[in-house]
Amino acid sequence: MKFSYSFTPVNVSESCREYRCGKANVRLDFLGESLLRVCAYNDGERLLNTYNVCPVGDMPRQGRKRLDTSGFELFAPRVETDGDTEVFTLRNGIELRLDLNNFILSYYAKNERLFSDRAPLAYNFGGEFGRDAIHYITREADEKIYGLGDKGGELNKAGRAFKIETVDTMGFNAKTSDPLYKHIPFYICENSVGCYGIFYDTSATSAFNLGAEHNNYYEPYKYFQTEDNCIVYYVFFGTKLEILKQFSRLAGKPAFPPKWSFDYCASTMAYTDAPDSEVQMRAFVDKLKALDINCRGFYLSSGYTSIGEQRFVFNWNYDKFPNPKEFIEYYNSCGINPIPNIKPAFLKNHPMYDMLSEKGWFVKNEDGTPFVTQFWDGLGSYLDFTNEGAFEFWKEQVAEKLLDNGITCTWNDNNEFDIRDCAAVSDGFGCPVPAARIRPDLTYLMDMASYEAQIEANPNLRPFLSTRSGNIGTRRLAQTWSGDNRTAFEDLRYCHFIGLTMSMSGLYFYGHDLGGFSGDLPSRELLLRWLQHGLFEPRFTLHSWNTDGSSTMPWSHIDILDSVKEIFAQRKRLIPYFYNCAYRAVRYDEPLNAPLFMYYDDDEIEPEGDSFMLGRDILAACIFDEGAESTDVYLPRSEGWYLGEKLYGGGQTVTLNIPARGGAKYFAKAGSVIPYDEGEAGFCKAEKTVLTVYPIKSGSFTAEYFDDDGESFAYKNGKCTLLKIRVECDDNTVAVRCNNEGEVPFDGHFKLVDGDGRKLIIE
């Protein structure tokens, strides 16, 4: 009977329990001491493979079985049974109480309810809540919710509703637009009892309602709704940081970017749209040299593929670039890595369209003809990356048209796979599936094909890819950015929140189009504020499609060039620290950027504040409001904080003056060792590594420093510098002891922060 289901156990092991009522099934897997998976499905439903979950090893092309337990540390909870109630106790003290009537799970911490499935029914076992799969849980009035990918608005998403799908949202409003580019149904919830995280493992179009909906018949609730045919979700327990790190481990290690990618990387639509593209691209390098500005990458917009006014992936426009290989060789010789734009759809008049259609390599209609939809300048069809032939074709084209010309990177763009027609079909590697059900998987496989092509062409190089869209699995292959933002102060502020939201969703390597992509050329003040903020994020890229045809460049306002160069010099100085943080992200699952509250349990921290962390040791503060020149920065208690050579105690608010001219300002944590590049700034200048010690008054602390060749996998075999550092501080001395666990000697030196009168001793 609907709204009344009496479940009974049908299969029980130490770490897994399965239950059944009629055609309804629920499975519990205890995958760790603080990790649980729940799957609710009906008989006869096909559970599609996942590309989201990869706790160990490499993801197969065909994906991973949705209920696979390999790679997890299976856990056997203590189980008690009392009639229709089962109680499971995890090692961290979390207690799960299961009511077998309607399968209601409740979670308790120290005998207080953390959250619960919504009674009397939380799942759509019999169609009580419509056609979609759904999961209702309780909510508190003042709870806070963080995550969900690249969602706009403030950091706390509680009380709002969101759609989880991928859309090309050029010129989006960073405060209000939804959805954007990413499909990541994961969030962290903090309430009066503690914290928990939930990740819904699906690729189908979905939605969250986090308190915008009210219903008199139920206690306050929130819910997840999906066009998938089942509900599969993971529940995490711990602090906000512990939950994020658990989710990061579940999703798989992020791709380790090469060191050069943390330097300034340029881009603009204008250069490649111009009829004399190569002339303009070479003039760009001449300008860099003349002004002594460094640049290590250039995102080559799709104008290089044009025929007339349209863009055709894998086509080189030889009028614009008469000799692509020679052009690439020139850029490489200047230390600038070209990162060419590639798109997964082929316009109907693309020179290769008919061939691809005959091969059957497009997403298809039910009758086998190519599925046609709107794409950029006309109608076209998406390549079906679940078709083995299409997958290999993409790899061959990436190799032949790009990598064979000397390119080593790819920019995987416009890959939202905007397919909503339920009749459109993907091959599914021999098991056909509605394409609308797997849109983020198609994005993932596009990135995987590019990744494989790059690593086969250059097996000793860590591939560098950038992807605009994707699921959480894309972190294993590529970095990302917030997409085609707007040139406005409001969007600067809310892109700040979008970036931190992506980071709290497991996308650690991210950034923005600094200055704004869509709109007018940014004003002097806005450009500098964007750069001051971008200084502290992993991706440092100016990119634009300005309404007047201009390009946002470091020299866009020549009268503020000194300020721009000061920020660029700061960026160069921070690259060794960025790289060290990147290593920690890959090894320890730590985010590069995070709000202060991820690390500090301090009630005085403003959750929506303008300050944020870069790694564990730098606290950055920025200004986001036009005309403002100062901001109040709260310094978390329990730490001391250095601003330059001046030490401030924690637990206080400091008013920081940051003019609209000049560089950015930031605090360094007392009890840290921060690697800087103190070499000369400018075009192709060498690195000079200095480890600066920021001591505490007395006592000891530890630190770690990593470096390698900056681009290969050799570090995995010990070909790196990996210093384990211990610092002892007293009234007179600061003593540093190091142990290098890598095979490469440390090529640099230590120094004590300026202004500290103690003697530095290296032991």
Side-chain angles (χ1 to χ4, degrees):
M1 185 174 72
K2 291 190 175 184
F3 284 101
S4 181
Y5 300 87
S6 181
F7 282 84
T8 57
V10 294
N11 187 20
V12 174
S13 69
E14 285 191 337
S15 62
C16 175
R17 299 175 78 87
E18 296 182 75
Y19 305 84
R20 184 174 178 84
C21 177
K23 66 177 183 178
N25 304 274
V26 184
R27 171 172 161 169
L28 301 182
D29 285 290
F30 296 90
L31 302 175
E33 295 180 1
S34 58
L35 175 60
L36 168 74
R37 181 174 63 201
V38 182
C39 174
Y41 65 100
N42 288 331
D43 287 347
E45 297 289 358
R46 172 187 171 192
L47 273 63
L48 297 180
N49 285 357
T50 180
Y51 291 91
N52 296 312
V53 176
C54 189
V56 67
D58 296 324
M59 176 64 71
R61 282 189 194 178
Q62 294 77 18
R64 173 185 166 107
K65 296 293 184 184
R66 193 96 73 99
L67 301 184
D68 193 346
T69 60
S70 61
F72 291 108
E73 297 179 359
L74 303 183
F75 178 71
R78 188 173 76 246
V79 184
E80 300 173 74
T81 302
D82 183 8
D84 288 335
T85 301
E86 294 182 346
V87 179
F88 309 92
T89 303
L90 303 185
R91 192 164 292 166
N92 59 4
I94 296 292
E95 189 177 270
L96 282 66
R97 302 176 188 175
L98 170 60
D99 185 346
L100 291 172
N101 293 309
N102 283 342
F103 208 90
I104 300 297
L105 274 169
S106 302
Y107 304 82
Y108 286 80
K110 298 179 180 178
N111 283 322
E112 291 189 82
R113 190 180 75 171
L114 183 61
F115 76 102
S116 171
D117 287 344
R118 190 192 74 176
L121 189 65
Y123 304 92
N124 198 19
F125 291 129
E128 293 89 345
F129 305 123
R131 293 187 304 173
D132 292 346
I134 199 163
H135 181 214
Y136 288 95
I137 62 175
T138 58
R139 65 176 173 85
E140 285 191 6
D142 296 323
E143 69 184 18
K144 298 178 176 63
I145 293 178
Y146 305 107
L148 302 182
D150 56 347
K151 295 304 182 185
E154 296 185 339
L155 293 180
N156 181 10
K157 310 305 182 190
R160 300 176 61 191
F162 298 93
K163 196 168 186 181
I164 305 296
E165 71 168 340
T166 58
V167 182
D168 183 342
T169 57
M170 203 279 284
F172 66 90
N173 184 308
K175 182 178 181 181
T176 61
S177 294
D178 183 74
L180 297 178
Y181 302 93
K182 313 296 190 297
H183 187 289
I184 302 181
F186 163 78
Y187 66 81
I188 301 168
C189 181
E190 179 182 30
N191 62 27
S192 63
V193 177
C195 297
Y196 62 91
I198 296 184
F199 170 61
Y200 293 91
D201 184 15
T202 182
S203 294
T205 295
S206 306
F208 281 99
N209 193 301
L210 303 176
E213 179 178 302
H214 299 259
N215 189 316
N216 179 60
Y217 297 115
Y218 304 96
E219 68 174 305
Y221 61 87
K222 53 185 176 283
Y223 65 85
F224 173 76
Q225 185 172 357
T226 178
E227 295 177 7
D228 208 341
N229 59 0
C230 61
I231 288 283
V232 179
Y233 66 95
Y234 294 77
V235 188
F236 311 85
F237 304 98
T239 66
K240 292 185 287 294
L241 182 60
E242 288 169 346
I243 290 167
L244 177 58
K245 292 173 72 170
Q246 287 180 75
F247 176 55
S248 179
R249 288 192 290 272
L250 176 140
K253 295 293 185 183
F256 189 8
K259 182 185 274 191
W260 63 260
S261 68
F262 294 98
D263 208 333
Y264 165 54
C265 293
S267 189
T268 178
M269 291 281 291
Y271 286 3
T272 54
D273 280 358
D276 59 343
S277 292
E278 183 171 346
V279 172
Q280 296 209 28
M281 292 290 295
R282 288 179 178 266
F284 169 78
V285 177
D286 293 339
K287 192 81 169 182
L288 290 173
K289 293 177 178 178
L291 298 177
D292 199 20
I293 295 174
N294 199 41
C295 177
R296 293 302 310 276
F298 197 104
Y299 287 89
L300 198 64
S301 292
S302 56
Y304 79 95
T305 69
S306 65
I307 301 175
E309 298 298 318
Q310 295 179 305
R311 298 153 204 275
F312 298 85
V313 63
F314 299 130
N315 173 74
W316 276 98
N317 183 316
Y318 292 108
D319 292 329
K320 295 181 178 184
F321 293 92
N323 189 328
K325 189 169 187 176
E326 184 180 280
F327 162 71
I328 299 304
E329 287 176 353
Y330 172 67
Y331 256 61
N332 287 338
S333 72
C334 296
I336 304 173
N337 294 270
I339 313 167
N341 184 288
I342 47 179
K343 307 180 191 298
F346 291 72
L347 296 177
K348 291 189 70 177
N349 55 339
H350 191 290
M352 290 189 282
Y353 186 91
D354 290 343
M355 178 274 292
L356 293 168
S357 176
E358 291 172 6
K359 295 283 189 181
W361 289 345
F362 288 128
V363 173
K364 301 181 182 69
N365 297 308
E366 290 178 303
D367 63 3
T369 59
F371 173 77
V372 177
T373 188
Q374 180 66 33
F375 186 81
W376 263 63
D377 305 305
L379 295 175
S381 299
Y382 285 100
L383 200 67
D384 181 4
F385 286 88
T386 70
N387 181 300
E388 197 72 42
F391 190 99
E392 291 297 329
F393 162 78
W394 183 269
K395 287 177 57 177
E396 291 164 3
Q397 290 299 304
V398 169
E400 177 186 333
K401 303 297 173 56
L402 303 175
L403 308 182
D404 290 352
N405 282 316
I407 288 170
T408 60
C409 317
T410 56
W411 171 12
N412 298 264
D413 198 15
N414 300 97
N415 52 359
E416 290 74 31
F417 287 86
D418 195 3
I419 304 170
R420 302 163 193 268
D421 189 336
C422 295
V425 179
S426 286
D427 180 73
F429 295 107
C431 298
V433 61
R437 287 269 304 277
I438 61 165
R439 291 171 53 196
D441 298 343
L442 292 168
T443 304
Y444 179 86
L445 288 165
M446 172 191 178
D447 293 338
M448 177 187 269
S450 299
Y451 185 99
E452 287 187 11
Q454 289 171 226
I455 206 164
E456 287 172 13
N458 298 287
N460 295 321
L461 290 181
R462 302 197 300 263
F464 180 77
L465 295 81
S466 186
T467 187
R468 189 171 72 179
S469 184
N471 54 24
I472 190 58
T474 55
R475 67 185 244 124
R476 300 189 295 269
L477 305 170
Q479 60 131 246
T480 190
W481 81 107
S482 61
D484 297 340
N485 56 3
R486 300 187 307 168
T487 304
F489 270 95
E490 181 182 69
D491 279 57
L492 167 60
R493 171 172 292 281
Y494 286 98
C495 278
H496 163 67
F497 291 138
I498 287 176
L500 291 179
T501 295
M502 285 196 287
S503 189
M504 287 189 289
S505 305
L507 297 177
Y508 293 166
F509 297 103
Y510 75 93
H512 309 286
D513 285 347
L514 303 180
F517 176 77
S518 173
D520 298 330
L521 180 74
S523 68
R524 291 161 175 78
E525 181 184 1
L526 180 56
L527 178 59
L528 286 173
R529 293 306 190 199
W530 267 111
L531 290 172
Q532 288 173 345
H533 179 257
L535 170 67
F536 301 108
E537 294 178 316
R539 179 185 187 261
F540 189 60
T541 294
L542 288 163
H543 183 40
S544 60
W545 193 10
N546 297 333
T547 52
D548 64 358
S550 65
S551 302
T552 304
M553 288 291 162
W555 48 82
S556 288
H557 301 290
I558 201 69
D559 55 319
I560 61 167
L561 183 60
D562 287 349
S563 296
V564 172
K565 292 181 70 172
E566 183 178 344
I567 297 170
F568 276 50
Q570 287 182 304
R571 180 69 179 198
K572 181 178 185 290
R573 187 168 189 260
L574 284 172
I575 287 175
Y577 179 68
F578 266 105
Y579 197 58
N580 200 59
C581 292
Y583 173 75
R584 295 188 65 82
V586 174
R587 182 166 182 178
Y588 304 118
D589 307 295
E590 294 180 358
L592 279 79
N593 289 137
L596 276 60
F597 61 70
M598 291 295 286
Y599 295 119
Y600 299 101
D601 185 15
D602 187 332
D603 292 339
E604 297 301 315
I605 291 173
E606 169 53 53
E608 307 291 343
D610 297 343
S611 302
F612 61 110
M613 298 299 296
L614 170 55
R616 296 299 297 264
D617 299 329
I618 285 180
L619 191 162
C622 296
I623 290 178
F624 303 107
D625 299 317
E626 188 172 12
E629 295 224 336
S630 65
T631 183
D632 290 338
V633 182
Y634 178 74
L635 303 176
R637 65 173 66 98
S638 80
E639 310 282 9
W641 299 91
Y642 286 88
L643 179 61
E645 63 182 44
K646 185 175 181 180
L647 177 63
Y648 292 83
Q652 65 172 310
T653 297
V654 176
T655 299
L656 197 61
N657 182 254
I658 310 175
R661 300 289 182 105
K665 295 184 179 179
Y666 56 89
F667 294 85
K669 185 184 74 176
S672 66
V673 179
I674 298 182
Y676 294 116
D677 177 0
E678 296 199 354
E680 185 181 357
F683 188 78
C684 291
K685 297 298 193 300
E687 181 179 317
K688 179 183 177 183
T689 304
V690 176
L691 301 187
T692 298
V693 180
Y694 292 90
I696 55 179
K697 184 176 181 180
S698 64
S700 64
F701 62 91
T702 61
E704 184 178 83
Y705 167 70
F706 170 84
D707 196 18
D708 68 346
D709 58 24
E711 62 180 13
S712 79
F713 293 100
Y715 75 95
K716 292 184 175 183
N717 299 317
K719 304 295 184 183
C720 64
T721 304
L722 183 57
L723 299 185
K724 301 290 186 176
I725 304 167
R726 183 174 180 85
V727 182
E728 302 275 355
C729 305
D730 60 29
D731 290 341
N732 300 310
T733 62
V734 176
V736 177
R737 298 181 179 89
C738 293
N739 177 40
N740 188 359
E741 295 185 357
E743 298 176 6
V744 180
F746 173 51
D747 182 20
H749 68 275
F750 286 86
K751 64 173 284 190
L752 196 57
V753 61
D754 292 341
D756 193 297
R758 288 174 283 186
K759 182 179 180 181
L760 179 66
I761 300 173
I762 309 299
E763 299 180 350

